[in-house]
Amino acid sequence: MIPRSKNILLSVLLLSGINALAQDSTLISKPLRWNLPQCIEYAKKNNIQINSLRLSQLTSQQEFLLAKAGRLPNLSGSVSQNFTHSNGGNNSGIGASGSGFNASGQYSLNSSVTIYNGNYINNNILQKNIEVESANLSIIQQENDITLQITQAYLTVLLDKETIVSDTSIVNTSNAQVKLEQQRFSVGSVAKKDLIQIQAQNATDQYNLTTAMNTERGDLLTLKQLLLLPTDADFDIDKPDTIVVNKSVTPLKTAEDTTLKNRPRNKERPVGGTGCPV
């Protein structure tokens, strides 16, 4: 039974990988504009680490069911059948009486049940149940980690876009100043050094804008890598119109108590342990 269960789980893994590749290939043909909840939802569904932990959870559940089945009696059987043919005639072929087939068989059924084995069955069931709980908490922990990473990368790209807007406005203003200064220099209102200073400042502003655009491309690529999107996918974030900030700040003590109570890593127990947090 155990090898068969592992083969089933392996088939599920292969099918999941094929479906993921097929899904990713469809993302290349259309532009993607996702907001933060969409990015988090996609990451939780397609992240390799999370899917691996889900498969480990299925394995733990199967092992838990097998451990519970140890309390039940087993049953095995065997069947054997023999056929013989005998010929009662002589070598000349005269007198063929007494020839025919003889059949014989053996059939058996065996059953056994473990009455007591040093409380091994109960301890094994408890251990497998703890492994299932640990697998569930590992999935939640990994989902929390990927959520934080996606959120940080998304907000970084959003900040880059705001920086580009600000630098673009500065460059436009700087271009207008250069044009105005050139006109004033043409009529002799300002010295050439003043014009050169304005042009140098304009070049610095354009450099800052280029740097901000390159930074945005790099941070957007980081977000795509976290989402496991194809490199050819036309992806960008959906910039929100407004951002509502909650002005109330959670007290430090409340934040610490909530974290210690709800964080999955604090709930994990060592296999065979007594329930003490790791």
Side-chain angles (χ1 to χ4, degrees):
M1 293 298 295
I2 296 178
R4 185 177 181 181
S5 300
K6 291 184 177 180
N7 290 335
I8 294 175
L9 292 175
L10 181 59
S11 301
V12 173
L13 174 61
L14 293 177
L15 291 176
S16 300
I18 294 174
N19 291 334
L21 291 176
Q23 183 179 13
D24 288 343
S25 62
T26 59
L27 298 177
I28 301 177
S29 59
K30 58 182 180 180
L32 304 175
R33 299 297 179 266
W34 290 350
N35 54 27
L36 181 58
Q38 289 175 319
C39 292
I40 294 175
E41 180 182 0
Y42 180 87
K44 287 183 177 181
K45 183 178 179 181
N46 297 278
N47 184 263
I48 295 178
Q49 288 79 8
I50 294 177
N51 288 333
S52 298
L53 292 174
R54 286 172 182 156
L55 292 174
S56 299
Q57 179 196 36
L58 294 177
T59 303
S60 299
Q61 290 176 348
Q62 292 298 318
E63 292 178 351
F64 174 66
L65 294 176
L66 290 174
K68 291 177 64 177
R71 290 175 173 172
L72 303 177
N74 58 18
L75 179 64
S76 61
S78 62
V79 176
S80 64
Q81 189 73 34
N82 298 320
F83 293 93
T84 60
H85 178 267
S86 61
N87 191 350
N90 53 28
N91 295 332
S92 63
I94 302 175
S97 61
S99 63
F101 288 94
N102 295 322
S104 62
Q106 294 181 351
Y107 312 93
S108 65
L109 289 175
N110 300 315
S111 179
S112 63
V113 61
T114 302
I115 303 299
Y116 183 76
N117 189 17
N119 206 29
Y120 169 77
I121 295 179
N122 291 332
N123 291 334
N124 189 39
I125 293 175
L126 178 60
Q127 176 182 344
K128 299 305 180 183
N129 187 33
I130 292 175
E131 291 179 355
V132 172
E133 295 177 359
S134 178
N136 293 333
L137 294 174
S138 296
I139 294 175
I140 297 175
Q141 178 65 38
Q142 186 62 35
E143 288 180 347
N144 290 342
D145 291 342
I146 194 65
T147 298
L148 291 175
Q149 294 175 9
I150 294 296
T151 302
Q152 182 178 3
Y154 184 92
L155 293 179
T156 300
V157 175
L158 191 61
L159 178 61
D160 294 338
K161 290 184 176 298
E162 293 297 326
T163 303
I164 291 175
V165 172
S166 176
D167 289 345
T168 301
S169 177
I170 293 174
V171 168
N172 292 334
T173 302
S174 180
N175 289 335
Q177 290 177 348
V178 170
K179 184 177 180 180
L180 177 61
E181 200 71 9
Q182 286 177 343
Q183 293 176 352
R184 296 174 63 184
F185 174 75
S186 299
V187 298
S189 299
V190 295
K192 188 174 183 179
K193 67 178 184 63
D194 296 328
L195 175 61
I196 294 176
Q197 289 178 352
I198 295 296
Q199 291 175 340
Q201 183 61 43
N202 178 258
T204 301
D205 295 336
Q206 291 181 358
Y207 172 79
N208 292 336
L209 176 59
T210 303
T211 302
M213 295 174 64
N214 291 334
T215 302
E216 189 229 2
R217 294 190 186 97
D219 292 336
L220 193 62
L221 178 60
T222 301
L223 181 58
K224 289 176 63 176
Q225 291 175 344
L226 290 174
L227 293 172
L228 300 180
L229 291 175
T231 55
D232 297 335
D234 183 10
F235 172 75
D236 201 354
I237 66 173
D238 185 11
K239 184 179 177 181
D241 295 333
T242 58
I243 298 178
V244 179
V245 180
N246 187 6
K247 295 182 179 180
S248 61
V249 179
T250 304
L252 178 60
K253 181 61 178 177
T254 303
E256 290 178 348
D257 294 340
T258 303
T259 302
L260 293 175
K261 181 180 179 181
N262 299 319
R263 192 177 185 187
R265 186 170 296 173
N266 294 336
K267 296 181 180 180
E268 292 183 358
R269 296 182 295 180
V271 176
T274 58
C276 298
V278 177

